[in-house]
């Protein structure tokens, strides 16, 4: 009977350790989510800025009709 209590105590101790580990891992994953969300926002902003620059550059290029007229 004593060994059953010892076995149960060991299982409870392992469960407590696992719970603690999972709690720490969960907190770390939550921090990762926050950091990655911020990084995603920054990258999205950079893409928008690059898109705007490309659009502005394309607006300054001559139209295809203008190129054809100049070639003729």
């Amino acid at each position: 009977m004593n060994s059953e209590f010892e076995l149960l105590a060991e299982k409870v101790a392992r469960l407590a350790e696992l719970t603690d580990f999972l709690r720490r891992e969960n907190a770390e994953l939550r921090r990762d989510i926050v950091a990655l969300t911020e990084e995603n926002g920054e990258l999205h902003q950079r893409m928008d800025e690059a898109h705007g620059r490309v659009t502005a550059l394309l607006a300054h290029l001559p139209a295809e009709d203008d190129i054809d007229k100049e070639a003729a």
Side-chain angles (χ1 to χ4, degrees), residues 14-32:
R14 282 190 291 175
L15 180 61
E17 289 173 11
L18 181 58
T19 301
D20 188 49
F21 170 77
L22 292 174
R23 188 173 286 126
R24 286 191 312 269
E25 184 180 37
N26 191 20
E28 182 179 337
L29 290 171
R30 288 179 186 272
R31 285 189 298 270
D32 289 348

Side-chain angles (χ1 to χ4, degrees), residues 6-71:
E6 288 175 9
L7 182 60
L8 182 59
E10 288 175 15
K11 288 182 178 181
V12 169
R14 282 190 291 175
L15 180 61
E17 289 173 11
L18 181 58
T19 301
D20 188 49
F21 170 77
L22 292 174
R23 188 173 286 126
R24 286 191 312 269
E25 184 180 37
N26 191 20
E28 182 179 337
L29 290 171
R30 288 179 186 272
R31 285 189 298 270
D32 289 348
I33 287 172
V34 169
L36 290 171
T37 300
E38 290 174 3
E39 182 181 3
N40 187 36
E42 292 169 4
L43 291 172
H44 187 65
Q45 180 180 355
R46 289 177 58 192
M47 283 179 44
D48 287 344
E49 291 169 357
H51 182 268
R53 288 193 301 272
V54 169
T55 301
L57 286 172
L58 290 174
H60 286 88
L61 292 177
E64 192 174 320
D65 294 339
D66 296 338
I67 294 173
D68 291 341
K69 288 177 186 176
E70 290 177 11

